[in-house]
Every structure is written in structure tokens, then in C-alpha cells.
Amino acid sequence: MAENVYCQTCKRDLSGEEGVIVFDSDIFCSPECLIQNLKNYEDLEEMTVDEYLKKFG
């Protein structure tokens, strides 16, 4: 019996030969859904290269 597999972010039903991204045992249908999910983590920051160099360089 086949299990239903869903994207962690958009909840789309995935099946068969569809490519998926697996991150920490969660399944995502696209890089965009993975990034959207990661934005919920407090330790994820979006910044420019200049901002990065000022902060960490």
C-alpha cells in the first residue's frame, strides 16, 4: 500500500517519479518551498554580500 506524501510547505500531494527535496526528514516539492519553510527559523537571515562582510568579515 502506497503512502501519501505531501510537501511540508504547500501541502501538495506528491507521487510516483516526482523529484523531491528531503531536508531533516521533511519533504519539499521545490527549492522555493524549502526556502519558505526555512524562513520560519530564527537563525536564518537574508542579506546582501556587503551586509554579510560587514557583519562577519
Side-chain angles (χ1 to χ4, degrees):
M1 178 182 275
E3 272 188 60
N4 288 341
V5 177
Y6 298 92
C7 175
Q8 183 72 26
T9 302
C10 71
K11 308 300 183 207
R12 186 168 68 86
D13 189 15
L14 305 167
S15 62
E17 295 294 317
E18 283 189 83
V20 295
I21 299 168
V22 180
F23 177 75
D24 197 24
S25 77
D26 291 328
I27 298 171
F28 302 93
C29 67
S30 67
E32 292 79 14
C33 279
L34 171 61
I35 291 169
Q36 185 61 40
N37 185 272
L38 290 176
K39 286 182 180 179
N40 295 329
Y41 290 97
E42 291 181 14
D43 60 342
L44 180 71
E45 295 181 59
E46 289 186 80
M47 62 181 70
T48 65
V49 172
D50 288 339
E51 291 169 338
Y52 172 81
L53 291 173
K54 284 179 186 175
K55 185 171 184 176
F56 301 104

